[in-house]
């Protein structure tokens, strides 16, 4: 009787509780809801996207960086009943629970795909450098079978991010992009510019510094922004103990406090972190299965690091936390396909422009070429050996005695730069040059910047938050570089290096509010400057860091100063896939690693094997580029066998350029993605979603790079839903199975999806050497298919004015017919007549094409 009485009392108390929602009003932008905790804004952005803002008192606002133009709200409806307020757009429903204030998100049929965890929306008033701010946090429910991807480029090796703890900061080899895509079909942008913790682990383990590890007096040379420095790799040992409250999977988070050179942690003698490199990010996360009870910890790191180790029992939630913010702010996108999510994100934040045709060829880079003459002679040798090349890269120190990072050529080794750059152009090559964000303050140019207040006070970093700095920096590049014929830019150390905005005051305000955004402004300076200067060259920027919205500034990211071993190579595959699913389509890596083993790399067969496998994978990166610290990276430096294996792969890349360039057009026009984690196309195939080392390159090619030494055959999972063809043998397989495939050292496992139409071009030494007047069109039967061949003037912005052409190929599998549609569009230099060699199952038909529809029957 007493229990019944208590139950009735509890029900009465609950019924008397004030509802979280007090009132709301509708505006043309959305609805504004007054809650017991603050003001909640629900703002539709597109037919499948909505933005959520929550604040208590207005603390001022930050400028809109990700969504730079005013976005008119789509058509939306607001419905209310006794328990909820609902905001509806065409492909998304937002449901606000009146009693709790909790928000859920549903598809048009009403099926919920995402919910805030009840009571998890928090704002805590704080201050930074005397200015008020909020600590903001939001937790979302995450079903047991959900997989999460994105957050940018990280070196911790994690593919599925569900339950992983991460800290989003911008440092060498780590690109923080607060965007995730779920296997449940939604995307979520955490709209913050400052440091963000993902699934923060707040249970800290007491660490005791024991002794220095062996070898602590080793001296090495490393690349720093002040040049090559001799640095001691002192390391120390820490120990600790912690108690796991129950059996389960735990997120463990390592924070060194600053860049390190070793991530090494053991639990009960088993390594859970084990990575060594000249530079490593300050933080890393992992998941580990533990039993309840006491566990012993050992940790090794640099002696000047201040390590912290924390843990969190993994659960079915996802949390974002930002300690310095003006409001809680996030955006939900619903696809369910990743293409629809990313296309919507790019439509709102800016589409990725086309790169010139030559950018999709091979980039030859090393640390470093030492003269204009050496650059020219290297390209000549590539041509003599019939090794295709489109870009040659000048790394740092071309400035000689002019001062560190100054974008001016040393006249002794680079006299008359316009002359040697013209020679490169005459050889069919293009020139990319390294530029830095911290020119020497004592240089001639640096002194001018200092006098005008163009540096962030008290730092060595230019203040790109200031529009005047951006204009002047571009003018410096224009006068010294662009006017001499430089074709593209390699923007190093743009984080700024080592998360340097913390505690600084920028032109825009306190750096902590903008901690992730510096690379955005650096790219903006060069892109907008070059676009105003000329429309004849497409902007092409290789840069080390990024922030949402930056994709509209013509950027390619690369994975930073990574090591050169098998483990690091594998981590780059995962890093690249999680980067491209955040909406940034162009990415590359230092093929072979930046830090390499020294002179032995040229003759050591084990290193040659690693380099060959890495190079094969690089062919199927959006941008194909080699690099290496204190290394001569030209193929012939590694012997005849390596050179020949590389030549085969380079020829394949160039023959696929009509396919690649057409896929690039889909990136620009329709928001597509070239390097595609399998969750993008096979979201409902759990086996495909879990493949960390396979992906689609474009919509047709399944790439399965070899990631271990000594492999001559390997297992490849073929996704469900159709047939697949071995690219090399033509053998047909059913999807939904794992197949054993040959993997000789001169080949990378490749499969083609049934229904694919692949245009194959001629062998060339550079992308524009030959016209596409005799393309092979390969058909892979087994399903209907289509492909659109895209062509334009190769290197200007006339395509934005409609100067391009497309030809649509359609395969009817039942009738075994290929329809080549009418050509649409015109541009200067367009082929009016051409021949296609259409091939199917070893049969080939020559087809004359003059721009009008042709039907080919088999």
């Amino acid at each position: 009787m007493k229990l019944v009485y208590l139950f009735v009392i509890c029900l009465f108390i609950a019924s008397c509780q004030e509802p979280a929602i007090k009132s709301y009003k509708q505006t043309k932008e959305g609805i504004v809801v007054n809650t017991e905790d603050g003001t909640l804004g629900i703002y539709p952005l597109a037919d499948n996207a909505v933005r959520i803002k929550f604040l208590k008192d207005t603390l001022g606002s930050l400028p809109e960086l990700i969504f730079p133009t005013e976005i008119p709200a789509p058509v939306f409806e607001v419905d209310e009943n006794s328990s909820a307020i609902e905001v509806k757009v065409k492909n998304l429903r937002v449901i606000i629970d009146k009693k709790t204030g909790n928000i859920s998100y549903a598809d048009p049929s009403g099926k919920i795909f995402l919910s805030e965890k009840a009571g998890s929306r928090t704002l805590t008033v704080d201050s930074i450098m005397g200015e008020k701010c909020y600590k903001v946090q939001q937790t979302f429910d995450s079903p047991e079978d959900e997989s999460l991807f994105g957050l940018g480029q990280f070196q911790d090796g994690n593919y599925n991010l569900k339950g992983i703890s991460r800290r989003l900061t911008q440092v060498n080899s780590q690109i923080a992009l607060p965007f995730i895509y779920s296997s449940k079909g939604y995307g979520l942008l955490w709209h913050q510019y400052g440091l963000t913790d993902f699934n923060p682990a707040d249970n800290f383990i007491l660490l005791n510094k024991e002794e220095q590890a062996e070898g602590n007096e080793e001296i090495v040379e490393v690349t720093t922004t002040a040049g090559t420095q001799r640095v001691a790799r002192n390391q120390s040992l820490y120990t600790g103990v912690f108690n796991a409250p129950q059996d389960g999977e735990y997120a463990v988070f390592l924070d060194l406090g600053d860049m390190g050179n070793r991530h090494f942690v053991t639990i009960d003698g088993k390594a859970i972190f084990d990575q060594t490199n000249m530079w490593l990010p300050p933080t890393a996360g992992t998941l580990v299965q533990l039993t309840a009870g006491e566990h012993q910890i050992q940790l090794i790191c640099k002696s000047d690091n201040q390590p912290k180790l924390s843990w969190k029992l993994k659960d079915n939630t996802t949390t974002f936390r930002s300690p310095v913010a003006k409001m809680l702010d996030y955006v939900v996108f619903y696809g369910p396909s990743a293409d629809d999510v990313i296309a919507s994100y790019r439509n709102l934040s800016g589409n990725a422009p086309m790169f010139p045709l030559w950018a999709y060829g091979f980039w030859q880079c090393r640390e470093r070429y030492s003269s204009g003459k050496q650059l020219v002679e290297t390209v000549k040798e590539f041509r003599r050996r019939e090794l295709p090349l489109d870009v040659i890269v000048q790394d740092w120190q071309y400035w000689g005695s002019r001062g560190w990072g100054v974008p001016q050529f040393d006249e002794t080794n680079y006299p008359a730069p316009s002359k040697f750059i013209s020679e490169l152009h005459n050889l069919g090559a293009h020139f990319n040059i390294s530029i830095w964000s911290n020119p020497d303050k004592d240089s001639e140019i640096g002194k001018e910047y200092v006098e005008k207040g163009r540096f962030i006070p008290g730092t060595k970093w230019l203040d790109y938050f200031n529009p005047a700095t951006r204009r002047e920096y571009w003018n410096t590049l224009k006068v010294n570089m662009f006017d001499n014929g430089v074709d593209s830019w390699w923007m190093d150390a743009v984080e700024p290096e080592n998360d340097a905005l913390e505690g600084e005051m920028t032109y825009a305000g306190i750096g902590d509010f903008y901690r992730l955004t510096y690379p955005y402004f650096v790219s903006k300076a060069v892109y907008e400057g070059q676009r105003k200067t000329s429309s004849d060259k497409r902007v092409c920027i290789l840069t080390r860091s990024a922030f949402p919205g930056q994709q509209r500034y013509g950027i390619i990211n690369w994975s930073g100063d990574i090591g050169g071993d098998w483990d690091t190579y594998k981590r780059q595959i995962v890093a690249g896939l999680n980067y491209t699913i955040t909406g940034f389509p162009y990415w590359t890596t230092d093929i072979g690693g930046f830090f390499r083993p020294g002179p032995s790399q040229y003759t050591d067969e084990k290193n040659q094997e690693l380099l060959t496998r890495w190079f094969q994978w690089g062919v199927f990166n959006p941008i194909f580029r080699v690099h290496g610290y204190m290394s001569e990276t030209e193929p012939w430096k590694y012997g005849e066998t390596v050179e020949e294996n590389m030549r085969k792969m380079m020829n394949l890349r160039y023959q696929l350029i009509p396919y690649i360039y057409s896929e690039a057009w889909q990136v620009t026009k329709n928001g597509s993605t070239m390097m595609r984690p399998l969750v993008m196309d096979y979201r409902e195939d759990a086996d495909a979603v879990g493949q960390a080392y396979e992906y689609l390159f474009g919509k047709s090619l399944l790439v399965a790079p070899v990631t271990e030494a000594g492999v001559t055959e390997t297992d490849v999972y073929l996704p469900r839903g159709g047939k697949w063809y071995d690219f090399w043998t033509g053998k047909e397989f059913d999807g939904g199975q794992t197949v054993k495939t040959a993997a000789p050292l001169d080949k990378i496992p490749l499969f083609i999806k049934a229904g694919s139409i692949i245009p194959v071009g001629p062998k060339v030494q550079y992308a524009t050497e030959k016209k596409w007047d005799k393309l092979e069109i390969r058909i892979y039967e087994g399903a209907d298919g289509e492909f659109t061949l895209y062509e334009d003037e190769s290197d200007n912005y006339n395509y934005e004015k409609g100067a391009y052409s497309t030809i649509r190929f359609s395969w009817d599998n039942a009738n075994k017919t290929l329809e080549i549609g009418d050509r649409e569009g015109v541009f200067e230099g367009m082929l009016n007549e051409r021949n296609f060699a259409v091939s199917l199952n070893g049969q080939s038909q020559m087809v004359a094409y003059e721009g009008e529809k042709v039907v080919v029957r088999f």
Side-chain angles (χ1 to χ4, degrees), residues 57 234 331 679:
D57 298 316
N234 292 341
V331 182
V679 70

Side-chain angles (χ1 to χ4, degrees), residues 589-720:
T589 181
D590 290 357
I591 292 174
F594 180 65
F595 292 113
R596 298 190 178 201
S600 66
Q601 66 180 289
Y602 306 109
T603 56
D604 179 8
E605 291 184 0
K606 293 182 179 179
N607 183 75
Q608 290 174 338
E609 180 186 7
L610 169 63
L611 177 61
T612 300
R613 292 304 193 188
W614 205 324
F615 196 89
Q616 290 169 355
W617 171 59
V619 170
F620 298 96
N621 283 195
I623 301 298
F624 179 26
R625 168 184 166 273
V626 71
H627 190 39
Y629 178 59
M630 298 183 69
S631 299
E632 297 179 352
T633 60
E634 295 79 15
W636 57 88
K637 302 292 184 177
Y638 298 86
E640 291 183 5
T641 300
V642 173
E643 179 183 353
E644 181 55 29
N645 287 341
M646 287 183 172
R647 182 181 289 105
K648 290 177 182 177
M649 287 291 101
M650 295 166 96
N651 284 334
L652 176 58
R653 171 76 178 203
Y654 275 81
Q655 287 184 280
L656 288 174
I657 279 185
Y659 170 81
I660 294 169
Y661 200 56
S662 298
E663 289 287 340
W665 171 240
Q666 296 302 320
V667 168
T668 296
K669 180 176 183 287
N670 294 319
S672 187
T673 298
M674 193 177 296
M675 188 175 183
R676 306 173 63 81
L678 294 186
V679 70
M680 294 190 71
D681 297 277
Y682 301 97
R683 185 174 60 87
E684 296 181 354
D685 181 348
D687 291 325
V689 169
Q691 299 297 323
Y693 305 107
E694 294 181 22
Y695 61 95
L696 287 184
F697 187 63
K699 296 292 183 68
S700 299
L701 276 67
L702 179 68
V703 183
V706 175
T707 59
E708 296 179 359
V711 169
T712 57
E713 62 177 13
T714 189
D715 290 334
V716 178
Y717 178 75
L718 304 177
R720 297 199 309 257

Side-chain angles (χ1 to χ4, degrees), residues 369-388:
Y369 294 106
S370 57
S371 70
K373 180 180 179 181
Q374 188 181 30
L375 289 161
V376 172
E377 292 303 316
T378 299
V379 174
K380 287 181 177 178
E381 188 64 14
F382 268 85
R383 298 288 181 248
R384 188 183 74 80
R385 292 174 179 266
E386 296 187 346
L387 291 163

Side-chain angles (χ1 to χ4, degrees), residues 127-178:
S127 65
I128 180 77
M129 295 175 67
E131 183 174 334
K132 284 187 177 180
C133 67
Y134 289 121
K135 294 179 179 179
V136 299
Q137 179 169 309
Q138 180 68 67
T139 299
F140 301 90
D141 291 325
S142 176
E144 184 71 35
D145 62 344
E146 182 175 40
S147 296
L148 296 171
F149 305 92
L151 294 185
Q153 170 195 283
F154 281 71
Q155 297 298 326
D156 57 22
N158 295 300
Y159 182 53
N160 179 0
L161 306 181
K162 181 180 168 68
I164 292 291
S165 293
R166 276 187 174 170
R167 175 157 294 164
L168 275 62
T169 53
Q170 309 287 29
V171 295
N172 188 347
S173 79
Q174 177 173 293
I175 303 172
L177 300 169

Side-chain angles (χ1 to χ4, degrees), residues 65 221 239 333 427 517 520 694 703 749 835 847 858:
L65 304 181
E221 290 188 344
T239 59
F333 302 85
L427 289 165
T517 68
Y520 169 102
E694 294 181 22
V703 183
N835 291 299
V847 178
F858 284 90

